Amino acid sequence: MLSGKRGPWASRLTAWLSLVIMLGLVTAGVADGSTRRDRPAVVAVGQLAPAPMNSVASVSCANRLRCWAVGQSSGSTAAIDATSNGGATWSHEAVPTTVTDLASLSCAGENDCLAVGASGGAGAVVAFGGRTWALHKDLAGAAALSAVDCTSAQHCVAVATDGTSSWSVLTTNEGVSWARAGNLPAGMSATAITCRDPSACFAAGFIATGPGKGVGAIAGSADGGATWAAVSLPAPIGILRDITCNGTSCLAAGTSSTATTGFVAAGGQLIASSNGGSTWQILPPSVPDNDASGIACPGPNVCVVVGTDWVGTAQPQPRAGIVASTDGGRQWQQASLKYVPVGLSSVACPVVTQCVAAGGNVLVRVSLPAEPPAPSSAPGT
């Protein structure tokens, strides 16, 4: 899930579409001015996650200093890491020992974070209230939870599954108790969820078309997750891995591959909506060689996409892929990578000049040369 993704974007639609359409030119290095050496660099510096973190699935930030990363440990339990200095250093935090996996994380505030996953054969939610993580498990019928998004501490929506079908669950008390809500479209597996406000939510993922195969899918809810309906998408769409909305502008990202198991070398894919998710279009030329896994857009002119950059053709080799625009898409940059040897799965940007990203057992601090927003002319405007 994404941090820093909510804000008044409706008036910035033109800049947004320009930004995402230019994305495919980044890796080719042909965007106008994108290779100018006098531009401030986008710099990504990685470090090993504190033991026992082995595979980070999701990152989220409450503010520019406080961020968390969740995933799996090197053993059979989940892992959580935290930073209190914007990603400069990280420390391991205790996780309830029965939690076996954490797949998604959303922080509505510094003392209000929820992470979801599994505890043995049951769905699990762990909640951070400011000091420790506590386990909540009143999710009847759920074998696991795959995604969560909180618009506030009192409004969080998660996706649960029993392995055959998926549905949403809602909480209004910071994860202490959950109510089962609407089913997602038949056969849909959700990998990400976002709510652009407490009512309008979207889940992204895929619908299985055969053994190990699927087609990208998005489901929408106009009542905060109580009911869901399939959204019509253009073809062909590969597996979708992340989605974000700001105002009426939405973007989903993933891969052109239709493989639902394993990790297959393929180009990335972006689809966008300019009308609040009612209709979608594939954005050419998509993301050549950058298999997208996470998106964060902390400002109207700033967007970061992370994933895996496949190098070579005969036997493509994976490496980290980070691309960013800080001027509404007029220019794009590949980040200068230091100590980032693995593909990345998630990114969160609490402010326009700073992001954290993660993948494998590596946590990454991304510095952007974006100018901060101009101060308002008067308090409260």
Side-chain angles (χ1 to χ4, degrees):
M1 301 305 302
L2 304 177
S3 179
K5 64 187 176 184
R6 302 179 181 87
W9 270 45
S11 63
R12 300 288 187 161
L13 176 59
T14 301
W16 166 248
L17 290 177
S18 172
L19 181 151
V20 291
I21 291 172
M22 290 290 290
L23 183 56
L25 300 179
V26 179
T27 53
V30 297
D32 182 23
S34 65
T35 58
R36 285 174 51 189
R37 295 184 180 181
D38 59 339
R39 296 184 63 216
V42 177
V43 178
V45 181
Q47 59 184 286
L48 286 176
M53 179 70 80
N54 186 58
S55 180
V56 179
S58 180
V59 294
S60 184
C61 295
N63 51 50
R64 68 181 185 85
L65 297 178
R66 295 285 282 160
C67 304
W68 288 263
V70 302
Q72 287 184 303
S73 73
S74 54
S76 58
T77 60
I80 300 176
D81 290 335
T83 179
S84 58
N85 53 19
T89 58
W90 294 78
S91 59
H92 173 66
E93 297 201 339
V95 185
T97 56
T98 58
V99 179
T100 52
D101 176 57
L102 290 173
S104 183
L105 169 71
S106 183
C107 294
E110 189 167 338
N111 298 320
D112 301 295
C113 292
L114 292 182
V116 301
S119 178
V125 176
V126 291
F128 182 74
R131 304 186 69 177
T132 60
W133 293 86
L135 174 64
H136 302 299
K137 284 183 60 178
D138 59 344
L139 298 153
L145 279 75
S146 60
V148 64
D149 187 50
C150 298
T151 55
S152 70
Q154 287 72 42
H155 183 271
C156 298
V157 183
V159 176
T161 180
D162 58 8
T164 302
S165 60
S166 298
W167 61 91
S168 58
V169 290
L170 315 177
T171 181
T172 57
N173 55 13
E174 302 181 41
V176 175
S177 61
W178 294 79
R180 179 164 176 160
N183 290 336
L184 268 62
M188 182 175 176
S189 296
T191 55
I193 187 171
T194 187
C195 295
R196 57 188 180 93
D197 58 50
S199 296
C201 299
F202 293 94
F206 63 91
I207 291 178
T209 57
K213 295 290 184 179
V215 61
I218 293 176
S221 173
D223 50 20
T227 59
W228 297 87
V231 174
S232 178
L233 299 179
I237 297 292
I239 306 303
L240 295 175
R241 300 195 183 107
D242 206 356
I243 186 169
T244 185
C245 288
N246 289 274
T248 58
S249 299
C250 299
L251 181 71
T255 173
S256 58
S257 170
T258 58
T260 61
T261 58
F263 202 49
V264 178
Q269 195 167 57
L270 288 174
I271 61 173
S273 171
S274 61
N275 55 13
S278 296
T279 59
W280 296 77
Q281 63 178 0
I282 299 174
L283 293 176
S286 241
V287 197
D289 301 321
N290 192 356
D291 194 347
S293 294
I295 316 166
C297 298
N301 295 316
V302 183
C303 191
V304 178
V305 178
V306 305
T308 301
D309 190 5
W310 296 98
V311 181
T313 55
Q315 293 183 324
Q317 298 298 310
R319 69 180 184 187
I322 303 176
V323 292
S325 176
T326 59
D327 58 7
R330 290 185 295 275
Q331 296 178 331
W332 277 89
Q333 286 180 272
Q334 285 182 316
S336 173
L337 305 180
K338 300 179 181 180
Y339 316 117
V340 191
V342 297
L344 301 174
S345 57
S346 182
V347 61
C349 299
V351 293
V352 296
T353 56
Q354 176 188 317
C355 305
V356 295
N361 64 342
V362 176
L363 298 165
V364 184
R365 188 179 190 185
V366 184
S367 299
L368 306 173
E371 291 293 330
S376 58
S377 58
T381 58

